[in-house]
Amino acid sequence: MLKISFSSVYNHPLPKGHRFPMLKYELLPGQLIHEGIVDEENFFEPVPLDEKWIMNTHTPEYWHKLKNLTLSKPEIRATGFPLTEALVNRETTIANGSIQAALFALQYGIGMNIAGGTHHAFADRGEGFCLLNDLAITSNYLIENKLVNNVLIVDLDVHQGNGTASIFEENPQVFTFSMHGEKNYPMRKTTSDLDYALADGIGDVEYLRILEKQLDKIVTDFTPDFIIYQSGVDVLESDKLGRLGMTLSGVRQRDSMVLNFGKSLGVPIMCCMGGGYSSQVSKIVDAHTQVYRIAQDLYF
C-alpha cells in the first residue's frame, strides 16, 4: 500500500500576504482522494521527532536556539517564517513524516510525504523556508540504524539544495544530486556531489534530456540502496520564483523518469514535495498530484 505522511500542522498559519503557499498542504490530500488516487487509509499522521535524531544532523547549539525560540532576528529573517513554538512543532513533525515514509518505502518500495524537501536548512542554521533538513535527517536515520548503506538524494527543486550538499560534503555514503536554476536562489551555491545548473526558460524536452543523462551518470559512480526524491514543482513555467519553462506534462514525465529509475534499480524511494509558488495554488496542487498517481500506477 502507498503510505503518505500528512498532519494538519503542515498547514501552518502565516501572516496575511505571506508568499509561501501553505494552503497547498491542506488541499493536496483532498485532491488525491477526490481524484481516486488514494483513500483515507493511505495516510498516516506522524508525531514530532525525538530531538536525538535532530541533533544527529543539526548542531546542538542551533537546535537549542530553535526549540527555545532564541534565534536572532537575522536568523529568523533568513528562514522566511515568524518563529513560534507551533512552527518548530511543524518542522519536527515533517521531519518524522519523512523518516516514517522512508520506513514504509523499505517495506513497500515507495513512501511519500505531503510536505518535506527542506533542503536549504544547514546543520547550524535555517534558510529559505527551511528550518530542519528532513532529507538529511532521514538519510542519517537510515544509515545510523543500519537500514541502508548508501543514500542517493535526487533534488529537482528549481533551487539548489545548498543545505543538504553542505551537510553531506564529506560523507561518502550520501550522494547529493541537485538540478536547479543557474541564476536562481541561492545566489551563493554550495557544491553537491553532482550539480547541474539550468539556464532560464529551459523547456520540457531539454530538461528531460539533461535529467536522463545525469541519472545515467550517477549510477556509474555510486550504487544507492535508497533514494530520496525532492520533487519540487517550482520548475513550472507558471511559478513566480522558478524562471524555467516546464509544462505540467513535462513535470509528470520528470517524476515518471525518477520513479522508474528507482524501480529499475530495485531501490526503495521516498518522495517529498519541495517547493511550488505558482500564483494559482490549484496549479501547484495539480503538479504535486501527478507524482502520487505515478507511484500508485508503478508500484501497486
Side-chain angles (χ1 to χ4, degrees):
M1 175 185 290
L2 178 61
K3 300 299 289 184
I4 303 166
S5 173
F6 172 70
S7 169
S8 61
V9 306
Y10 285 7
N11 182 17
H12 178 74
L14 289 173
K16 187 176 180 180
H18 197 285
R19 63 178 179 169
F20 190 86
M22 280 286 182
L23 184 60
K24 73 175 185 177
Y25 300 117
E26 179 180 319
L27 296 177
L28 182 53
Q31 185 70 16
L32 295 174
I33 292 173
H34 174 73
E35 293 191 18
I37 297 171
V38 302
D39 54 37
E40 293 287 354
E41 68 176 350
N42 290 97
F43 294 98
F44 68 92
E45 183 171 1
V47 298
L49 183 63
D50 188 290
E51 68 176 10
K52 167 187 175 180
W53 299 110
I54 295 170
M55 290 187 290
N56 198 38
T57 293
H58 293 279
T59 65
E61 293 78 12
Y62 172 59
W63 167 240
H64 290 145
K65 285 196 294 183
L66 185 61
K67 76 172 182 176
N68 292 314
L69 309 182
T70 57
L71 294 178
S72 67
K73 287 183 179 180
E75 287 172 322
I76 294 171
R77 190 161 50 247
T79 71
F81 291 142
L83 182 60
T84 64
E85 184 178 349
L87 179 67
V88 176
N89 179 70
R90 173 187 187 265
E91 303 306 308
T92 60
T93 302
I94 288 172
N96 198 26
S98 289
I99 287 176
Q100 299 304 315
L103 296 178
F104 279 119
L106 290 172
Q107 184 176 356
Y108 297 116
I110 192 166
M112 309 183 85
N113 193 349
I114 288 287
T118 47
H119 57 172
H120 297 312
F122 287 73
D124 61 351
R125 66 188 187 276
E127 288 184 4
F129 307 137
C130 303
L131 283 80
L132 297 174
N133 194 312
D134 69 301
L135 307 171
I137 289 170
T138 300
S139 299
N140 284 329
Y141 180 94
L142 294 173
I143 292 168
E144 181 78 13
N145 286 286
K146 302 187 185 309
L147 298 170
V148 305
N149 293 312
N150 297 317
V151 177
L152 166 62
I153 297 176
V154 175
D155 188 338
L156 300 186
D157 194 278
V158 80
H159 305 109
Q160 195 219 22
N162 56 341
T164 314
S166 172
I167 289 168
F168 293 120
E169 186 176 13
E170 297 181 3
N171 187 335
Q173 289 181 272
V174 180
F175 189 102
T176 54
F177 165 48
S178 179
M179 190 162 134
H180 51 264
E182 180 181 14
K183 297 178 181 178
N184 214 317
Y185 177 92
M187 291 302 105
R188 182 178 298 174
K189 309 290 194 288
T190 52
T191 302
S192 309
D193 291 296
L194 178 61
D195 284 300
Y196 196 99
L198 301 163
D200 286 358
I202 194 168
D204 296 346
V205 173
E206 183 67 3
Y207 183 102
L208 294 168
R209 184 192 67 79
I210 293 168
L211 176 58
E212 183 175 29
K213 186 174 181 180
Q214 302 314 303
L215 292 176
D216 288 343
K217 182 186 296 185
I218 290 168
V219 292
T220 64
D221 300 324
F222 187 77
T223 305
D225 49 19
F226 197 91
I227 296 171
I228 296 177
Y229 177 33
Q230 210 275 31
S231 58
V233 300
D234 41 14
V235 294
L236 282 171
E237 185 178 20
S238 62
D239 197 272
K240 294 183 294 184
L241 305 180
R243 302 174 64 156
L244 300 189
M246 293 193 71
T247 67
L248 198 61
S249 174
V251 173
R252 183 177 68 251
Q253 292 176 72
R254 177 202 70 171
D255 293 341
S256 181
M257 185 182 294
V258 175
L259 266 57
N260 273 284
F261 171 74
K263 188 80 183 299
S264 68
L265 294 175
V267 175
I269 186 166
M270 189 278 285
C271 304
C272 44
M273 294 303 102
Y277 309 94
S278 296
S279 299
Q280 294 177 269
V281 71
S282 61
K283 291 186 177 181
I284 304 171
V285 172
D286 286 345
H288 281 312
T289 298
Q290 297 181 123
V291 73
Y292 293 87
R293 185 177 294 280
I294 295 165
Q296 282 283 34
D297 291 345
L298 190 60
Y299 284 86
F300 302 99

